Amino acid sequence: MIVLEKDRWNLEDIYQNQDEWEKDFGKVEMLLSEAGEFQVRLGECADSFFGALHLSAQIQELIVKVHSYARMKLDEDNANPLAQALFGRAAALLTRVETALSFITPEILSLPEGTVSNFRHDSRFALYCHYLDDVFRQKPHTLTGIEEQLVARTGEITRTPDDFFKMLNNADLTFPKIRDDQENEVEVTKGNFIKLMQNRNRRVRYEAFQALYGTYQKLENTFASALNAAIKRDIFYASVRRHQSARSAALFADHIPSAVYDSLVQTVRSNLGEMHRYMKLRKKILGLDQLYMYDIYVPLAEDVKWVIPFPDAVAMLKNGVAVMGDSYLEILSRGLGSRWVDLYERKGKTGGAYCDSIYGVHPFLLLNYQNNLDSAFTLAHEMGHALHFYYSSQEQPFIYSHPAIFTAEVASTVHESLLMEHLLQTTSDRDERDKKIYLLNYYLEIFRGTLFRQTMFAEFEKIIHEKAENGEALTSYFLKEAYHELNTAYHGEGMVVDAEIDMEWARIPHFYDAFYVYKYATGLSAAVSLVQQILTKGTPAVERYLSFLNKGGSDYPLNLLQEAGVDMASPHPVQDAINRFSGLLDELEALSGVG
């Protein structure tokens, strides 16, 4: 496919040519040589202390620019040997930067508290107030210099469970072939599995389901061993750093109390009746005697072929976010018209989608647009990240310009929710009934997959970590049993929980990044609450949200969301999201006529 220049991102906005990149590469190397001069000197005087912080920020801003440019050049064409070499050099330089600056935090924490307090009276340190507060928050969990070095040296060993899982899951597993709905033989892959599960032919869904999970089941003890090793690693690091549990250690980075995690699970648990209602409604609409796990992904609206070329997706998104005001819309339009986006799939290009932002330049989006609703929502999602990065970069210094994942996923989901609410509002129940059912189903699936399913994952993580922390073995039998019980609870009596789904835990890569998945559920909950405020309260809610975007990572996530109008320390945002889910169910029941 030939992709026009206007549909590619313009990396010349970062560097006009490789010579400019080489200059910054060399500048990073030069600044690194200066960093060593500050080691063991931070406590000498305010000038030394400030000089180290200022130099570190300079180096980090430059290395992000150098590294991101090289990675994006590679993402344009992964087969390009010049891009491979460029990225290899950038990655090596990044490692050197991390090593060279690693002395700063331990050395700050080794200084007498009064020394740092005296330095902070200097007005130059106002910029670093939140940064230093966060460094000292880590003091109870920071080791001596020698101990930190020893822990750092365990990194290559403790990555083994992740590497083992990735190689086994992505390289070594092969799945059987099945017959598709045209009786053609097709190999089941992780890439086409969901598409096969959406097939209206139930035989195809059943055979794909059996093929995938049957393959995992043959290696259940191997996958259990890999997950067990990852959990032991989590417990080891939590213990070494004097955290109460692996979960406490994981939540510590974003300063999230365990009560937030527990409240999410408890609130979702107490509202599982709505999830059960959705499963029963799905069963009725599909006309099934029994609903099985392989029936979950089938679209509820038949024969809706909605082709959405990119210009139409842009128009839809602009209409959806118009409530944010003219200035917001102007920035979004400028980005989409100024080659922030690398739009279409082509040979060698990295798959998927992401948004990256270069401080002092602008955000960049990688898409692989496919002219469908999924791609339209991916555009909305990544532009939500882009606008967040843009606003925070305009208002914050580099060190606070990138928000934490906990809040970043809120901004992207706000965009998706605004787009969906606009589409639901402008799609006629009578004249576009099938399309309306399609949209309601699509939105309900976002809630099912992001709020309910990710909370179930979060509960599974909590269960298996606590069992391991109590010294009990995580056998494949226990993992399957725990997972089966959760699926039964979350899907209700109207669902036949097939034995094959008991192996789903074996294919979830996020379980190797402990206690991460709950952020998807809290992100959706916060976003739904913010969107409802924006749509019902207008300007005051919009202004609070824009202020939230402006603040980037300058405070802890819960504080930033509180100021935006969402208290994630309470159950209310999660309950609000479930209430919206319930309202969508009411609409689908009425429209489908089978409630």
Side-chain angles (χ1 to χ4, degrees), residues 1 42 158 178 226 249 275 310 351 389 395 415 498 541 546 580:
M1 176 182 180
L42 297 191
T158 56
I178 66 168
M275 176 66 164
F310 185 69
F389 291 144
E395 296 295 326
H415 257 211
D498 307 82
L546 293 178
R580 184 68 185 109

Side-chain angles (χ1 to χ4, degrees), residues 310 341-345 349-350 352-354 365-369 375 378-379 382:
F310 185 69
V341 184
D342 200 283
L343 187 55
Y344 295 114
E345 186 177 17
K349 180 181 172 181
T350 295
Y354 68 73
L365 281 69
L366 181 138
L367 302 177
N368 283 275
Y369 194 82
S375 287
T378 299
L379 169 67
E382 300 305 339

Side-chain angles (χ1 to χ4, degrees), residues 318-329:
K318 287 180 178 179
N319 288 330
V321 304
V323 66
M324 298 302 299
D326 292 341
S327 177
Y328 190 92
L329 201 56

Side-chain angles (χ1 to χ4, degrees), residues 223-523:
F223 277 106
S225 294
L227 184 57
N228 198 14
I231 291 168
K232 286 181 178 178
R233 173 193 59 200
D234 300 336
I235 296 168
F236 166 75
Y237 281 130
S239 174
V240 165
R241 295 199 175 278
R242 298 184 288 274
H243 288 282
Q244 291 182 342
S245 66
R247 186 176 65 148
S248 296
L251 301 184
F252 180 80
D254 287 332
H255 200 29
I256 305 294
S258 296
V260 171
Y261 198 101
D262 292 333
S263 177
L264 168 69
V265 172
Q266 290 163 7
T267 306
V268 170
R269 271 278 186 173
S270 64
N271 286 276
L272 284 178
E274 293 305 297
M275 176 66 164
H276 301 169
R277 182 159 74 104
Y278 178 40
M279 293 299 101
K280 291 176 182 176
L281 182 59
R282 169 171 281 278
K283 178 180 172 182
K284 289 181 181 179
I285 293 175
L286 292 175
L288 300 174
D289 293 331
Q290 294 282 357
L291 187 73
Y292 291 87
M293 296 300 296
Y294 49 83
D295 298 321
I296 285 181
Y297 292 95
V298 188
L300 298 180
E302 293 189 44
D303 301 324
V304 175
K305 294 180 174 60
W306 194 354
V307 178
I308 307 175
F310 185 69
D312 292 356
V314 170
M316 286 163 48
L317 178 58
K318 287 180 178 179
N319 288 330
V321 304
V323 66
M324 298 302 299
D326 292 341
S327 177
Y328 190 92
L329 201 56
E330 189 277 327
I331 296 166
L332 184 143
S333 299
R334 182 171 9 122
L336 291 171
S338 302
R339 297 180 59 195
W340 288 11
V341 184
D342 200 283
L343 187 55
Y344 295 114
E345 186 177 17
R346 59 185 180 272
K347 187 175 181 180
K349 180 181 172 181
T350 295
Y354 68 73
C355 175
D356 196 0
S357 184
I358 310 299
Y359 192 75
V361 185
H362 58 69
F364 291 84
L365 281 69
L366 181 138
L367 302 177
N368 283 275
Y369 194 82
Q370 298 292 323
N371 292 339
N372 57 30
L373 191 64
D374 280 340
S375 287
F377 272 90
T378 299
L379 169 67
H381 183 100
E382 300 305 339
M383 281 305 296
H385 284 310
L387 270 290
H388 196 178
F389 291 144
Y390 181 89
Y391 274 92
S392 63
S393 294
Q394 296 298 306
E395 296 295 326
Q396 298 298 328
F398 170 77
I399 60 171
Y400 304 136
S401 61
H402 272 64
I405 296 295
F406 194 99
T407 48
E409 290 303 332
V410 172
S412 56
T413 311
V414 161
H415 257 211
E416 291 189 72
S417 296
L418 284 172
L419 172 58
M420 178 56 80
E421 297 292 351
H422 164 71
L423 292 175
L424 288 173
Q425 187 67 33
T426 55
T427 301
S428 166
D429 288 7
R430 185 181 64 183
D431 299 330
E432 301 176 281
R433 176 180 173 276
D434 286 345
K435 185 182 283 188
K436 187 68 171 282
I437 289 175
Y438 182 79
L439 285 169
L440 288 168
N441 180 197
Y442 193 96
Y443 206 12
L444 285 164
E445 281 298 292
I446 289 176
F447 279 88
R448 181 187 70 80
T450 307
L451 181 57
F452 290 99
R453 188 166 184 256
Q454 300 299 330
T455 300
M456 187 185 82
F457 285 175
E459 193 170 352
F460 180 69
E461 282 193 281
K462 183 172 183 287
I463 290 168
I464 60 179
H465 277 82
E466 286 179 349
K467 185 176 180 69
E469 284 166 337
N470 289 331
E472 300 179 60
L474 293 179
T475 63
S476 62
Y477 177 82
F478 171 79
L479 293 169
K480 290 192 297 181
E481 184 180 49
Y483 204 78
H484 185 92
E485 289 176 0
L486 286 170
N487 266 301
T488 301
Y490 273 73
H491 292 93
E493 295 179 357
M495 167 71 74
V496 177
V497 180
D498 307 82
E500 288 82 4
I501 202 65
D502 298 353
M503 282 301 302
E504 188 179 34
W505 55 266
R507 62 184 290 256
I508 307 300
H510 280 104
F511 290 155
Y512 292 80
D513 188 358
F515 300 103
Y516 180 94
V517 293
Y518 86 99
K519 297 177 187 179
Y520 292 120
T522 55

Side-chain angles (χ1 to χ4, degrees), residues 557-590:
L558 291 189
N559 295 341
L560 294 170
L561 287 169
Q562 177 82 51
E563 292 174 17
V566 180
D567 181 8
M568 291 308 299
S570 82
H572 299 304
V574 179
Q575 187 63 56
D576 289 345
I578 292 171
N579 292 344
R580 184 68 185 109
F581 178 79
S582 181
L584 294 168
L585 277 177
D586 292 340
E587 288 188 64
L588 182 58
E589 283 181 345

